[in-house]
Amino acid sequence: RTSQPVVLGYVFDRSGVRTYAALRSDRAPTMTRPSAAAAIFLLLLPQAAAFAPAVPPSGAAFVRRPAADRGMCDRAAAAAAAVAAASVRPLRMSDWSDFAYDDPDEDDPLASDDFIPADENDTQEYKAVVGSSLESPEIDWDGEPLFVPQGSVLPLTEDNVQAVLAACRQEIGTMFGYSAENRGVGITGGVDFVELDGPTVVLHIKGRFWHQRTTVLDRVGAYIIGRIPEVIDVTVADEWELTDEANDMAL
């Protein structure tokens, strides 16, 4: 026998607020046949208990909340729902108006336009296809090349130097970028006539070479002197053109 209420669970009122229902027992239970309403309540009780917290709130007994409390709960729930709705941001499509591609590496001019050199072991046809995307070094002389064997004696004139230099571009052409095959592996170098300074031929070296530029100048100089013996020296207008730095920075 006890005078404390026994908490059976909680039910939902019409407003949807959960309230604990207490069944007070002031007398010892008796074995009586339950009414139909009590039987239905007892059948639904386990289902309602499934939604209840594992431990009920503290206190000896809980009764139906007053209407004023239920109204406050309703208003609090509505306010929380409004805050949650305001915090939800609508999905938007990405804005690509400022989309731009990355610039190529400025330290490697051959990286422009996504140029990828062919390998030296690739076929000549493939090298030519790759090299066709790069322009050939310009030649500022439109005369015919003069092919003569080494040991020939040609007079020292500007036209003869230009003609022999044109032949040199072809005979040792593997050093230059005048062919698409060579440009395909990254060789874009060329050589131009600048002037005659007495018996000295002044040249301009440009572009990128596989060989050191000093080696290129020596080969060209030997070719010219071997056919025009009056030439005593072949040099460049600017010594910086012979440096590795100039070669690395060339297109």
Side-chain angles (χ1 to χ4, degrees), residues 144-246:
E144 292 295 326
L146 181 57
F147 295 97
V148 293
Q150 185 175 1
S152 300
V153 179
L154 298 173
L156 177 57
T157 64
E158 183 174 321
D159 286 343
N160 282 344
V161 172
Q162 288 273 33
V164 170
L165 181 60
C168 177
R169 293 188 185 104
Q170 296 186 29
E171 290 204 25
I172 59 173
T174 55
M175 302 187 75
F176 303 110
Y178 297 109
S179 67
E181 291 83 359
N182 287 1
R183 294 195 302 274
V185 294
I187 301 175
T188 61
V191 59
D192 295 327
F193 173 80
V194 177
E195 63 178 354
L196 274 178
D197 184 10
T200 300
V201 176
V202 181
L203 303 177
H204 169 58
I205 293 180
K206 60 186 179 182
R208 179 176 290 188
F209 297 87
W210 272 11
H211 300 80
Q212 289 187 333
R213 288 190 171 200
T214 54
T215 301
V216 175
L217 181 63
D218 292 342
R219 292 283 303 276
V220 174
Y223 188 95
I224 294 175
I225 294 174
R227 290 155 180 82
I228 308 176
E230 292 183 59
V231 175
I232 62 173
D233 193 18
V234 177
T235 185
V236 292
D238 186 354
E239 291 294 327
W240 183 80
E241 296 179 9
L242 301 179
T243 63
D244 293 337
E245 182 181 3

Side-chain angles (χ1 to χ4, degrees), residues 14-39:
R14 292 182 178 180
S15 63
V17 178
R18 293 180 297 183
T19 58
Y20 281 89
L23 180 61
R24 186 178 298 275
S25 178
D26 294 330
R27 62 182 64 183
T30 58
M31 299 298 294
T32 59
R33 181 183 181 85
S35 63

